[in-house]
Coordinates of all heavy atoms in Angstrom, one line a residue:
S1 N 5.7 171.6 3.3 CA 4.4 171.2 2.9 C 3.7 172.4 2.4 O 4.0 173.6 2.8 CB 3.8 170.4 4.1 OG 3.3 171.4 5.0
V2 N 2.6 172.1 1.7 CA 1.8 173.3 1.2 C 1.1 173.9 2.4 O 1.0 175.2 2.4 CB 0.7 172.7 0.2 CG1 -0.2 173.8 -0.1 CG2 1.3 172.1 -1.0
S3 N 0.7 173.2 3.4 CA 0.1 173.9 4.6 C 1.0 174.9 5.2 O 0.8 175.9 5.4 CB -0.3 172.8 5.6 OG -1.2 171.9 5.0
T4 N 2.4 174.4 5.3 CA 3.4 175.2 5.9 C 3.6 176.5 5.1 O 3.7 177.6 5.4 CB 4.6 174.5 6.1 OG1 4.4 173.3 6.9 CG2 5.7 175.4 6.7
V5 N 3.5 176.4 3.7 CA 3.9 177.5 2.7 C 2.7 178.5 3.0 O 2.9 179.7 3.0 CB 3.9 177.0 1.4 CG1 4.0 178.1 0.4 CG2 5.2 176.2 1.2
I6 N 1.5 178.0 3.0 CA 0.3 178.9 3.1 C 0.3 179.6 4.3 O 0.0 180.8 4.4 CB -0.9 178.1 2.8 CG1 -0.9 177.7 1.3 CG2 -2.2 179.0 2.9 CD1 -1.9 176.7 0.8
C7 N 0.5 178.9 5.4 CA 0.5 179.4 6.7 C 1.7 180.2 7.2 O 1.7 180.7 8.3 CB 0.1 178.4 7.8 SG -1.6 177.7 7.4
H8 N 2.7 180.2 6.5 CA 4.1 180.8 6.8 C 3.9 182.2 7.3 O 3.4 183.1 6.6 CB 5.0 180.7 5.7 CG 6.3 181.3 6.0 ND1 7.2 180.7 6.9 CD2 7.0 182.5 5.6 CE1 8.3 181.4 6.9 NE2 8.1 182.5 6.2
H9 N 4.1 182.5 8.6 CA 4.1 183.8 9.1 C 5.1 184.8 8.4 O 6.2 184.5 8.3 CB 4.2 183.8 10.7 CG 4.1 185.2 11.1 ND1 2.9 185.8 11.3 CD2 4.9 186.1 11.7 CE1 3.0 187.0 11.9 NE2 4.3 187.1 12.1
G10 N 4.7 185.9 8.0 CA 5.6 186.8 7.3 C 5.6 186.7 5.9 O 6.2 187.6 5.2
G11 N 4.9 185.9 5.3 CA 4.6 185.7 3.8 C 5.9 185.2 3.0 O 6.9 185.1 3.7
A12 N 5.7 185.0 1.8 CA 6.9 184.6 1.0 C 8.0 185.5 0.8 O 9.0 185.1 0.5 CB 6.3 184.2 -0.4
R13 N 7.7 186.8 1.1 CA 8.9 187.8 1.0 C 10.1 187.5 1.8 O 11.2 187.8 1.7 CB 8.4 189.1 1.1 CG 7.5 189.6 0.0 CD 7.2 191.0 0.2 NE 5.9 191.2 -0.4 CZ 5.0 192.0 -0.2 NH1 5.1 192.9 0.9 NH2 3.8 192.1 -0.8
S14 N 9.8 186.9 3.0 CA 10.9 186.7 4.0 C 11.6 185.4 3.7 O 12.5 185.0 4.4 CB 10.2 186.6 5.4 OG 9.3 185.5 5.5
M15 N 11.2 184.6 2.7 CA 11.8 183.3 2.3 C 12.9 183.6 1.3 O 13.0 184.5 0.6 CB 10.7 182.5 1.7 CG 9.6 182.0 2.6 SD 8.3 181.2 1.8 CE 9.0 179.6 1.5
R16 N 14.0 182.7 1.4 CA 14.9 182.8 0.3 C 14.3 182.5 -1.1 O 13.4 181.9 -1.2 CB 16.0 181.6 0.6 CG 16.7 181.9 1.9 CD 17.9 180.8 2.0 NE 17.6 179.5 1.6 CZ 17.3 178.6 2.4 NH1 17.2 178.7 3.6 NH2 17.0 177.3 1.9
P17 N 15.1 183.1 -2.1 CA 14.5 183.0 -3.5 C 14.3 181.6 -3.9 O 13.3 181.3 -4.5 CB 15.6 183.6 -4.4 CG 16.3 184.6 -3.5 CD 16.2 184.0 -2.0
E18 N 15.2 180.6 -3.6 CA 14.8 179.3 -4.1 C 13.7 178.6 -3.4 O 13.0 177.9 -3.8 CB 16.1 178.4 -4.0 CG 16.8 178.3 -2.6 CD 17.7 179.5 -2.2 OE1 17.9 180.4 -3.0 OE2 18.3 179.3 -1.1
S19 N 13.6 179.1 -2.1 CA 12.4 178.6 -1.4 C 11.1 179.2 -1.9 O 10.0 178.6 -1.9 CB 12.5 179.0 0.1 OG 13.6 178.4 0.7
Q20 N 11.1 180.5 -2.4 CA 9.9 181.0 -2.9 C 9.5 180.4 -4.2 O 8.4 180.1 -4.5 CB 10.3 182.6 -3.4 CG 10.4 183.4 -2.2 CD 10.7 184.9 -2.6 OE1 10.7 185.2 -3.7 NE2 11.0 185.8 -1.6
H21 N 10.5 179.9 -5.1 CA 10.3 179.2 -6.2 C 9.7 177.7 -5.9 O 8.6 177.4 -6.6 CB 11.5 179.1 -7.1 CG 12.0 180.3 -7.7 ND1 11.4 181.1 -8.5 CD2 13.2 181.0 -7.4 CE1 11.9 182.2 -8.8 NE2 13.1 182.1 -8.2
K22 N 10.2 177.1 -4.9 CA 9.7 175.9 -4.6 C 8.2 175.9 -4.0 O 7.4 175.2 -4.3 CB 10.5 175.2 -3.5 CG 10.0 173.9 -3.2 CD 11.0 173.1 -2.2 CE 10.4 171.7 -1.9 NZ 11.4 170.9 -1.2
A23 N 8.0 177.0 -3.2 CA 6.7 177.2 -2.6 C 5.7 177.4 -3.7 O 4.6 176.9 -3.7 CB 6.8 178.5 -1.6
K24 N 6.0 178.2 -4.7 CA 5.1 178.4 -5.8 C 4.8 177.2 -6.6 O 3.7 176.8 -7.0 CB 5.7 179.4 -6.8 CG 5.7 180.9 -6.4 CD 6.4 181.8 -7.5 CE 6.5 183.2 -6.8 NZ 7.2 184.0 -7.8
R25 N 5.9 176.3 -6.8 CA 5.7 175.0 -7.5 C 4.7 174.1 -6.7 O 3.9 173.4 -7.2 CB 7.1 174.3 -7.7 CG 7.9 175.0 -8.7 CD 9.1 174.0 -9.2 NE 9.7 173.4 -8.2 CZ 10.9 173.8 -7.5 NH1 11.4 175.0 -7.8 NH2 11.5 173.1 -6.7
L26 N 4.9 174.1 -5.3 CA 4.0 173.3 -4.5 C 2.7 173.7 -4.5 O 1.7 172.9 -4.2 CB 4.6 173.2 -3.0 CG 6.0 172.6 -2.8 CD1 6.4 172.7 -1.4 CD2 6.0 171.2 -3.3
I27 N 2.4 175.0 -4.7 CA 1.0 175.4 -4.9 C 0.5 175.2 -6.2 O -0.6 174.7 -6.5 CB 0.9 176.9 -4.4 CG1 1.2 177.0 -3.0 CG2 -0.4 177.5 -4.9 CD1 1.4 178.4 -2.5
L28 N 1.3 175.4 -7.3 CA 0.9 175.4 -8.7 C 0.7 174.0 -9.2 O 0.0 173.7 -10.0 CB 1.9 176.2 -9.6 CG 1.7 177.6 -9.4 CD1 2.8 178.4 -10.2 CD2 0.3 178.2 -9.7
I29 N 1.6 173.1 -8.8 CA 1.5 171.7 -9.4 C 0.1 171.1 -9.2 O -0.4 170.7 -10.2 CB 2.7 170.8 -8.8 CG1 4.0 171.1 -9.4 CG2 2.3 169.2 -9.1 CD1 5.2 170.4 -8.8
P30 N -0.5 171.1 -8.0 CA -1.9 170.5 -7.9 C -2.8 171.3 -8.8 O -3.7 170.6 -9.3 CB -2.2 170.6 -6.5 CG -0.9 170.7 -5.8 CD 0.1 171.4 -6.6
I31 N -2.6 172.5 -8.8 CA -3.6 173.4 -9.7 C -3.4 172.9 -11.2 O -4.5 172.8 -11.9 CB -3.3 174.9 -9.5 CG1 -3.7 175.2 -8.1 CG2 -4.1 175.7 -10.5 CD1 -3.3 176.6 -7.6
L32 N -2.3 172.9 -11.7 CA -1.9 172.5 -13.1 C -2.5 171.1 -13.3 O -3.2 170.9 -14.4 CB -0.5 172.4 -13.4 CG 0.1 173.8 -13.4 CD1 1.7 173.8 -13.5 CD2 -0.4 174.7 -14.6
L33 N -2.3 170.1 -12.4 CA -2.9 168.8 -12.5 C -4.5 168.8 -12.6 O -5.1 168.1 -13.3 CB -2.3 167.9 -11.4 CG -0.9 167.6 -11.5 CD1 -0.5 166.8 -10.3 CD2 -0.5 166.9 -12.7
W34 N -5.1 169.7 -11.7 CA -6.5 169.8 -11.7 C -7.0 170.2 -13.0 O -8.1 169.8 -13.5 CB -6.9 170.8 -10.5 CG -8.4 171.0 -10.4 CD1 -9.0 172.0 -11.0 CD2 -9.2 170.2 -9.7 NE1 -10.4 171.8 -10.6 CE2 -10.6 170.8 -9.9 CE3 -9.2 169.1 -8.9 CZ2 -11.8 170.3 -9.3 CZ3 -10.4 168.6 -8.4 CH2 -11.6 169.1 -8.5
N35 N -6.3 171.2 -13.6 CA -6.9 171.9 -14.8 C -6.5 171.1 -16.1 O -7.0 171.4 -17.2 CB -6.2 173.3 -14.9 CG -7.0 174.2 -14.0 OD1 -8.1 174.2 -13.7 ND2 -6.1 175.0 -13.4
R36 N -5.8 170.0 -16.0 CA -5.4 169.2 -17.1 C -5.5 167.8 -16.8 O -4.6 167.1 -16.4 CB -4.1 169.5 -17.7 CG -3.8 168.8 -18.9 CD -2.4 168.8 -19.4 NE -1.9 169.9 -19.9 CZ -0.6 170.1 -20.4 NH1 0.2 169.1 -20.4 NH2 -0.3 171.3 -20.9
P37 N -6.8 167.2 -16.9 CA -7.1 165.8 -16.4 C -6.2 164.8 -17.2 O -6.0 163.8 -16.7 CB -8.5 165.8 -16.7 CG -9.1 167.0 -16.6 CD -8.1 167.9 -17.2
S38 N -5.8 165.2 -18.3 CA -4.8 164.2 -19.2 C -3.5 164.1 -18.4 O -2.7 163.2 -18.8 CB -4.8 164.7 -20.7 OG -4.2 165.9 -20.7
G39 N -3.3 165.1 -17.7 CA -2.0 164.9 -16.9 C -0.8 165.8 -17.4 O -0.9 166.3 -18.6
W40 N 0.4 165.7 -16.8 CA 1.6 166.3 -17.2 C 2.7 165.3 -17.0 O 2.7 164.5 -16.1 CB 1.9 167.5 -16.3 CG 1.0 168.7 -16.4 CD1 -0.2 168.8 -15.9 CD2 1.3 169.9 -17.1 NE1 -0.8 170.1 -16.1 CE2 0.2 170.7 -16.9 CE3 2.4 170.5 -17.8 CZ2 0.0 172.1 -17.4 CZ3 2.3 171.8 -18.3 CH2 1.2 172.5 -18.2
T41 N 3.8 165.4 -17.9 CA 5.0 164.6 -17.7 C 5.8 165.4 -16.7 O 5.8 166.6 -16.6 CB 5.7 164.3 -19.0 OG1 6.1 165.6 -19.5 CG2 4.8 163.7 -19.9
T42 N 6.9 164.7 -16.3 CA 7.9 165.3 -15.5 C 8.6 166.3 -16.2 O 8.9 167.5 -15.7 CB 8.9 164.2 -14.9 OG1 8.1 163.2 -14.1 CG2 9.9 164.8 -13.8
A43 N 8.9 166.0 -17.5 CA 9.7 167.0 -18.4 C 8.8 168.2 -18.7 O 9.4 169.3 -18.6 CB 10.1 166.3 -19.7
E44 N 7.5 168.0 -18.8 CA 6.8 169.3 -19.1 C 6.7 170.2 -17.9 O 6.8 171.3 -18.1 CB 5.2 168.8 -19.5 CG 5.1 168.2 -20.8 CD 3.8 167.5 -21.0 OE1 3.1 167.2 -20.0 OE2 3.4 167.4 -22.2
L45 N 6.5 169.7 -16.8 CA 6.5 170.4 -15.5 C 7.8 171.1 -15.3 O 7.9 172.1 -14.9 CB 6.0 169.6 -14.3 CG 4.5 169.2 -14.3 CD1 4.3 168.1 -13.2 CD2 3.7 170.4 -14.1
A46 N 8.9 170.3 -15.4 CA 10.3 170.9 -15.2 C 10.5 172.1 -16.2 O 11.0 173.1 -15.8 CB 11.3 169.8 -15.4
Q47 N 10.1 171.9 -17.4 CA 10.2 173.0 -18.4 C 9.4 174.2 -17.9 O 9.8 175.3 -18.1 CB 9.9 172.4 -19.9 CG 10.1 173.4 -20.9 CD 9.7 173.0 -22.3 OE1 9.2 171.9 -22.4 NE2 10.0 173.7 -23.2
R48 N 8.2 174.0 -17.6 CA 7.3 175.0 -17.3 C 7.8 175.9 -16.1 O 7.7 177.0 -16.1 CB 5.9 174.5 -16.9 CG 5.0 175.6 -16.6 CD 3.5 175.1 -16.4 NE 2.7 176.1 -16.1 CZ 1.8 176.6 -16.9 NH1 1.7 176.3 -18.1 NH2 1.0 177.6 -16.6
F49 N 8.5 175.2 -15.1 CA 9.0 175.9 -14.0 C 10.4 176.3 -14.2 O 10.9 177.0 -13.2 CB 8.8 175.2 -12.7 CG 7.4 174.9 -12.4 CD1 6.7 173.6 -12.4 CD2 6.6 176.0 -12.0 CE1 5.5 173.5 -12.0 CE2 5.3 175.9 -11.7 CZ 4.7 174.6 -11.6
G50 N 11.1 175.8 -15.2 CA 12.5 176.3 -15.3 C 13.4 175.5 -14.4 O 14.5 176.1 -13.8
V51 N 13.1 174.2 -14.0 CA 14.0 173.5 -13.0 C 14.2 172.1 -13.6 O 13.8 171.8 -14.7 CB 13.2 173.3 -11.7 CG1 13.0 174.7 -11.0 CG2 11.8 172.6 -11.8
T52 N 15.0 171.4 -12.9 CA 15.3 170.0 -13.4 C 14.1 169.0 -13.1 O 13.3 169.3 -12.2 CB 16.5 169.5 -12.6 OG1 16.2 169.2 -11.2 CG2 17.8 170.3 -12.8
Q53 N 14.1 167.9 -13.9 CA 13.1 166.9 -13.5 C 13.1 166.4 -12.2 O 12.2 166.0 -11.6 CB 13.1 165.9 -14.7 CG 12.8 166.3 -16.0 CD 12.8 165.1 -17.0 OE1 12.3 164.1 -16.6 NE2 13.3 165.4 -18.2
R54 N 14.5 166.3 -11.7 CA 14.6 165.8 -10.3 C 13.9 166.8 -9.2 O 13.4 166.3 -8.4 CB 16.1 165.7 -10.0 CG 16.5 165.1 -8.6 CD 16.0 163.8 -8.5 NE 16.3 163.3 -7.1 CZ 15.5 162.4 -6.4 NH1 14.5 161.9 -7.0 NH2 15.8 162.1 -5.2
A55 N 14.0 168.1 -9.5 CA 13.3 169.0 -8.6 C 11.9 168.8 -8.6 O 11.3 168.9 -7.5 CB 13.7 170.5 -9.0
V56 N 11.3 168.6 -9.7 CA 9.9 168.3 -9.8 C 9.5 167.0 -9.1 O 8.4 166.9 -8.5 CB 9.3 168.4 -11.4 CG1 7.9 167.9 -11.4 CG2 9.5 169.7 -11.9
Q57 N 10.4 165.9 -9.3 CA 10.1 164.7 -8.7 C 10.1 164.9 -7.1 O 9.3 164.2 -6.4 CB 11.1 163.7 -9.1 CG 10.9 163.3 -10.6 CD 12.0 162.5 -11.2 OE1 13.2 162.5 -10.6 NE2 11.9 161.8 -12.3
L58 N 11.0 165.7 -6.6 CA 11.2 165.8 -5.2 C 9.9 166.7 -4.7 O 9.5 166.4 -3.6 CB 12.4 166.6 -4.9 CG 13.6 165.8 -5.0 CD1 15.0 166.7 -4.8 CD2 13.7 164.7 -4.0
D59 N 9.3 167.6 -5.5 CA 8.2 168.3 -5.2 C 7.0 167.4 -5.1 O 6.2 167.5 -4.2 CB 7.9 169.4 -6.3 CG 8.8 170.5 -6.4 OD1 9.6 170.6 -5.3 OD2 8.8 171.2 -7.3
R60 N 7.0 166.5 -6.0 CA 5.9 165.5 -6.0 C 5.9 164.6 -4.7 O 4.8 164.6 -4.0 CB 5.8 164.6 -7.2 CG 4.8 163.5 -7.2 CD 5.0 162.4 -8.2 NE 4.1 161.3 -8.1 CZ 3.9 160.4 -9.0 NH1 4.5 160.4 -10.1 NH2 2.9 159.5 -8.7
A61 N 7.1 164.2 -4.3 CA 7.2 163.4 -3.2 C 6.8 164.2 -1.9 O 6.2 163.6 -1.0 CB 8.7 163.0 -3.0
E62 N 7.1 165.5 -1.9 CA 6.7 166.4 -0.8 C 5.3 166.5 -0.7 O 4.6 166.5 0.4 CB 7.5 167.7 -0.8 CG 7.2 168.6 0.3 CD 8.2 169.7 0.6 OE1 9.2 169.7 -0.1 OE2 7.8 170.6 1.3
L63 N 4.6 166.8 -1.8 CA 3.2 166.9 -1.9 C 2.5 165.7 -1.4 O 1.3 165.8 -0.9 CB 2.7 167.3 -3.4 CG 3.1 168.6 -3.8 CD1 2.9 168.8 -5.3 CD2 2.2 169.8 -3.1
Q64 N 3.0 164.5 -1.6 CA 2.4 163.2 -1.2 C 2.6 162.9 0.3 O 2.0 162.0 0.7 CB 2.9 162.2 -2.2 CG 2.2 162.4 -3.5 CD 2.8 161.3 -4.6 OE1 4.0 161.0 -4.6 NE2 1.8 160.6 -5.1
R65 N 3.5 163.5 1.0 CA 3.7 163.3 2.3 C 2.7 164.0 3.2 O 2.2 165.0 2.9 CB 5.2 163.8 2.7 CG 6.3 162.8 2.3 CD 7.5 163.2 3.0 NE 8.0 164.6 2.7 CZ 8.9 164.8 1.8 NH1 9.4 163.9 1.0 NH2 9.3 166.1 1.5
P66 N 2.5 163.5 4.5 CA 1.6 164.1 5.4 C 2.2 165.5 5.6 O 3.4 165.7 5.7 CB 1.6 163.3 6.7 CG 2.1 162.0 6.2 CD 2.9 162.2 4.9
P67 N 1.4 166.5 6.0 CA 0.0 166.4 6.3 C -0.7 166.7 4.9 O -2.0 166.5 4.9 CB -0.3 167.6 7.1 CG 0.8 168.7 6.7 CD 2.0 167.8 6.3
D68 N -0.2 167.1 3.8 CA -0.9 167.4 2.6 C -1.5 166.1 1.8 O -2.6 166.0 1.6 CB -0.1 168.2 1.6 CG 0.4 169.4 2.3 OD1 -0.3 170.2 2.8 OD2 1.7 169.7 2.2
R69 N -0.6 165.2 1.6 CA -1.0 163.9 1.0 C -1.9 164.1 -0.3 O -3.0 163.6 -0.4 CB -1.8 163.0 1.9 CG -0.8 162.6 3.0 CD -1.6 161.6 4.0 NE -0.8 161.3 5.1 CZ -0.9 160.2 5.8 NH1 -1.9 159.3 5.6 NH2 -0.2 160.1 6.9
I70 N -1.4 165.0 -1.1 CA -2.1 165.2 -2.4 C -2.0 163.9 -3.3 O -1.0 163.4 -3.5 CB -1.3 166.3 -3.3 CG1 -1.2 167.6 -2.4 CG2 -2.1 166.6 -4.6 CD1 -2.4 168.5 -2.1
P71 N -3.3 163.5 -3.7 CA -3.3 162.1 -4.4 C -2.8 162.3 -5.8 O -3.7 162.4 -6.8 CB -4.8 161.8 -4.2 CG -5.6 163.0 -4.2 CD -4.6 164.1 -3.5
I72 N -1.5 162.3 -6.1 CA -0.9 162.3 -7.5 C -0.6 160.9 -7.7 O 0.1 160.2 -6.9 CB 0.2 163.2 -7.5 CG1 -0.2 164.7 -7.1 CG2 0.9 163.2 -8.8 CD1 1.0 165.5 -6.9
Y73 N -0.9 160.4 -9.0 CA -0.6 159.1 -9.4 C 0.0 159.2 -10.8 O -0.2 160.2 -11.5 CB -1.6 158.1 -9.3 CG -2.7 158.2 -10.4 CD1 -2.7 157.5 -11.5 CD2 -3.7 159.2 -10.2 CE1 -3.6 157.7 -12.6 CE2 -4.7 159.4 -11.2 CZ -4.7 158.6 -12.3 OH -5.6 158.7 -13.3
S74 N 0.8 158.2 -11.2 CA 1.4 158.1 -12.6 C 0.5 157.2 -13.3 O 0.2 156.1 -12.9 CB 2.8 157.6 -12.5 OG 3.6 158.5 -11.7
A75 N 0.2 157.7 -14.5 CA -0.5 156.9 -15.6 C 0.4 156.9 -16.9 O 0.6 157.9 -17.6 CB -1.8 157.5 -16.0
G76 N 1.3 155.9 -17.0 CA 2.4 155.9 -18.0 C 3.4 156.9 -17.5 O 3.8 156.9 -16.4
R77 N 3.8 157.8 -18.4 CA 4.7 158.9 -18.0 C 4.0 160.1 -17.5 O 4.6 161.1 -17.3 CB 5.5 159.2 -19.2 CG 6.3 158.0 -19.7 CD 7.1 158.3 -20.9 NE 7.7 159.6 -20.9 CZ 8.6 160.0 -21.8 NH1 9.0 159.0 -22.6 NH2 9.1 161.2 -21.7
R78 N 2.7 160.3 -17.4 CA 2.0 161.4 -17.0 C 1.6 161.4 -15.5 O 1.1 160.3 -15.0 CB 0.7 161.6 -17.9 CG 1.2 161.6 -19.4 CD 0.0 162.0 -20.4 NE -0.1 163.5 -20.4 CZ 0.7 164.3 -21.0 NH1 1.8 163.9 -21.5 NH2 0.4 165.6 -21.0
W79 N 1.6 162.4 -14.9 CA 1.1 162.6 -13.6 C -0.3 163.1 -13.6 O -0.7 164.0 -14.4 CB 1.9 163.6 -12.7 CG 3.3 163.3 -12.5 CD1 4.0 162.3 -13.1 CD2 4.1 164.1 -11.7 NE1 5.3 162.4 -12.5 CE2 5.4 163.6 -11.8 CE3 4.0 165.3 -10.9 CZ2 6.4 164.1 -11.1 CZ3 5.1 165.8 -10.3 CH2 6.2 165.2 -10.4
R80 N -1.2 162.6 -12.8 CA -2.5 162.9 -12.7 C -3.0 163.1 -11.3 O -2.3 162.4 -10.4 CB -3.5 161.9 -13.5 CG -3.2 161.9 -14.9 CD -4.1 161.1 -15.7 NE -4.0 161.2 -17.1 CZ -3.7 160.2 -17.9 NH1 -3.6 158.9 -17.5 NH2 -3.6 160.4 -19.2
L81 N -4.1 163.7 -11.0 CA -4.7 163.8 -9.7 C -5.6 162.6 -9.6 O -6.4 162.3 -10.5 CB -5.4 165.1 -9.4 CG -4.6 166.3 -9.0 CD1 -5.7 167.4 -8.8 CD2 -3.9 166.1 -7.8
A82 N -5.6 162.0 -8.5 CA -6.6 160.8 -8.2 C -7.9 161.5 -7.6 O -7.8 162.2 -6.6 CB -6.0 159.8 -7.3
F83 N -9.0 161.2 -8.2 CA -10.2 161.7 -7.8 C -11.1 160.6 -7.0 O -11.1 159.5 -7.4 CB -11.1 162.3 -8.7 CG -10.4 163.6 -9.5 CD1 -9.6 163.3 -10.7 CD2 -10.4 164.8 -8.8 CE1 -9.0 164.5 -11.2 CE2 -9.8 165.8 -9.5 CZ -9.2 165.7 -10.6
L84 N -11.6 161.0 -5.9 CA -12.6 160.0 -5.3 C -13.9 160.1 -6.0 O -14.3 161.2 -6.5 CB -12.9 160.5 -3.8 CG -11.7 160.4 -2.8 CD1 -12.1 160.9 -1.5 CD2 -11.4 158.8 -2.7
P85 N -14.6 159.0 -6.2 CA -15.9 159.0 -6.7 C -16.8 159.9 -5.9 O -16.6 160.0 -4.7 CB -16.4 157.5 -6.7 CG -15.3 156.7 -6.1 CD -14.2 157.7 -5.6
A86 N -17.8 160.3 -6.4 CA -18.8 161.3 -5.8 C -19.3 160.7 -4.5 O -19.7 161.4 -3.6 CB -20.0 161.6 -6.8
D87 N -19.6 159.3 -4.5 CA -20.2 158.6 -3.3 C -19.1 158.2 -2.4 O -19.3 157.5 -1.4 CB -21.0 157.5 -3.7 CG -20.3 156.5 -4.5 OD1 -19.2 156.7 -4.9 OD2 -20.9 155.4 -4.8
G88 N -17.8 158.8 -2.5 CA -16.7 158.4 -1.7 C -16.1 156.9 -2.0 O -16.2 156.5 -3.0
W89 N -15.4 156.4 -0.9 CA -14.9 155.1 -1.2 C -15.9 154.1 -1.5 O -16.0 153.1 -1.6 CB -13.9 154.6 0.0 CG -12.8 155.6 0.2 CD1 -12.7 156.6 1.0 CD2 -11.6 155.7 -0.6 NE1 -11.5 157.2 0.8 CE2 -10.8 156.7 0.0 CE3 -11.0 154.9 -1.7 CZ2 -9.5 157.1 -0.5 CZ3 -9.7 155.3 -2.1 CH2 -9.0 156.4 -1.6

C-alpha cells in the first residue's frame, strides 16, 4: 500500500529494483490523476511507466484496497479520481 511505501523504514534504497518501480507508480498514479481531471487510460499509464497494462491494473487494485482506498473510477476507458463534493456526502 502507499502508506507502507511511505513509512517503509530504511527508505526505498533497501527495496528490490522492481519494488522501487512499483512504489514510485503507487505514489505517482494518484498524483497524475489529480493533475489531469480528464483522466488517463490504462495504456497511457503503462506507456508512461514502461510497464504492461496488467501491471498498471494491479497497481490500481492495490491503491483501492484498505488502508489507502484511493477513490479511482473508470469513465469509459479513462481512470479518474472521484472527488467528494465540498459539503461532503
Side-chain angles (χ1 to χ4, degrees):
S1 76
V2 174
S3 303
T4 303
V5 170
I6 292 171
C7 297
H8 178 71
H9 182 70
R13 287 185 212 150
S14 63
M15 299 169 71
R16 294 189 319 262
E18 59 273 4
S19 296
Q20 290 178 8
H21 295 295
K22 181 174 182 171
K24 287 179 185 178
R25 291 194 313 270
L26 291 176
I27 292 169
L28 289 174
I29 288 172
I31 293 169
L32 291 171
L33 294 172
W34 177 268
N35 287 320
R36 188 193 283 183
S38 63
W40 291 78
T41 65
T42 304
E44 289 171 334
L45 288 170
Q47 182 178 10
R48 180 170 183 103
F49 293 116
V51 297
T52 65
Q53 291 185 41
R54 181 68 181 144
V56 173
Q57 291 166 343
L58 291 171
D59 292 343
R60 175 187 175 173
E62 185 163 341
L63 287 166
Q64 292 179 303
R65 282 196 296 268
D68 303 312
R69 296 184 189 202
I70 307 289
I72 300 170
Y73 74 97
S74 295
R77 295 175 44 166
R78 303 189 83 72
W79 297 7
R80 295 186 172 120
L81 281 181
F83 296 99
L84 289 174
D87 58 353
W89 295 99

